[in-house]
Amino acid sequence: MNLNTSLLLTDLYELNMLEAYLDDNRTETPLFEFFVRQMPFRWGFLMAAGLEQVLSFLEQASFSEDDMAWLTSTGRFNDKALHYFASFQFTGDVHAMPEGRIFFPHEPILRVTAPMPQAQLIETRIINLLHFQTVVASKAVHVVLAAQNKLLVDFGLRRSHGGEADLLAAPVSHIVGFAGTATLLAEKEFGIPPYGTMAHSFVQAYASERTAFESFACARPKDLTYPDRHP
């Protein structure tokens, strides 16, 4: 999938702090940890997800020429900071739980060890990627356990907060036990089996339910229904 790797996808205060670090020559190497303080929704555990996208982001994260032209035009940052932005490349280390690992409060899910300005700049986007996918994975695995082996399919695209969100949710749901997804791009990008029949509007387009079902069955006889359970 096309992950957004622009370093402008962050909070303003990350860049503000980075400039201050550079002015004070604060380039020591701290350790940042991502963890959860308490369980939500009376859940007994959470499931780690998002590591693959975090690593992909760190490998490619940069300010494009267009990003730099815009940043310069704002007049918000000094020359030293602008030079740092333009030449940014992540050189730190990442240690993390494997995808799909069960975890509990106060256990580090991911650690970043990097020079202070680097670690600060990437913080927001890493939290964004880890938080969303961990929430989806944790919710999905609890649904799988509650469904007791019934067939489950991700139909989240219509309600997800943007296309990237759904493409990140589809493989996470599939990993924890969902049979497939309704999102076609998720099949193309990740090989997840696609599912889907027809909408209520299709039935309304015909004179009767029977006519609608007969028309659809003739046009799409394969996989017209799905089993209640996984094969």
Side-chain angles (χ1 to χ4, degrees):
M1 64 173 290
N2 294 320
L3 189 70
N4 192 324
T5 57
S6 171
L7 285 168
L8 280 182
L9 190 57
T10 190
D11 297 307
L12 171 62
Y13 84 154
E14 305 286 21
L15 274 67
N16 291 343
M17 290 185 286
L18 189 154
E19 183 177 56
Y21 287 146
L22 294 177
D23 288 347
D24 290 339
N25 294 314
R26 295 291 305 276
T27 58
E28 65 267 32
T29 303
L31 187 151
F32 281 64
E33 292 185 337
F34 180 89
F35 63 91
V36 173
R37 289 186 174 88
Q38 61 185 14
M39 289 293 161
F41 315 120
R42 299 180 182 176
W43 289 353
F45 64 88
L46 295 171
M47 177 174 283
L51 174 60
E52 180 179 347
Q53 283 70 37
V54 167
L55 296 179
S56 179
F57 164 71
L58 291 176
E59 289 172 355
Q60 304 173 62
S62 65
F63 290 102
S64 68
E65 291 184 4
D66 184 65
D67 292 341
M68 289 307 306
W70 179 81
L71 276 173
T72 302
S73 73
T74 67
R76 191 173 290 134
F77 302 101
N78 60 33
D79 289 343
K80 187 175 184 179
L82 290 171
H83 177 75
Y84 187 91
F85 297 155
S87 59
F88 180 86
Q89 183 177 13
F90 180 74
T91 62
D93 295 320
V94 175
H95 297 86
M97 290 183 178
E99 297 272 5
R101 174 68 61 84
I102 297 299
F103 70 91
F104 303 94
H106 302 289
E107 289 186 288
I109 304 165
L110 181 140
R111 288 192 179 108
V112 171
T113 307
M116 184 73 82
Q118 289 188 30
Q120 193 67 70
L121 184 56
I122 62 174
E123 178 192 35
T124 293
R125 183 59 165 146
I126 286 182
I127 292 174
N128 167 254
L129 291 167
L130 287 177
H131 173 264
F132 175 75
Q133 292 180 85
T134 295
V135 167
V136 172
S138 301
K139 176 67 173 180
V141 74
H142 281 82
V143 171
V144 168
L145 292 173
Q148 298 183 357
N149 206 38
K150 287 184 172 63
L151 186 143
L152 300 170
V153 178
D154 155 46
F155 279 81
L157 178 58
R158 297 179 179 211
R159 294 172 298 280
S160 61
H161 296 181
E164 183 184 82
D166 182 72
L167 282 179
L168 293 175
V172 167
S173 301
H174 188 55
I175 287 172
V176 303
F178 277 46
T181 179
T183 305
L184 276 179
L185 190 56
E187 180 191 16
K188 177 178 178 290
E189 294 286 342
F190 307 111
I192 301 172
Y195 284 77
T197 53
M198 59 183 175
H200 183 58
S201 59
F202 182 89
V203 178
Q204 291 180 305
Y206 290 82
S208 68
E209 287 188 1
R210 183 183 180 90
T211 304
F213 276 82
E214 287 177 346
S215 175
F216 190 85
C218 289
R220 305 291 301 170
K222 185 178 180 181
D223 294 329
L224 185 63
T225 62
Y226 299 107
D228 290 335
R229 297 179 179 274
H230 293 284

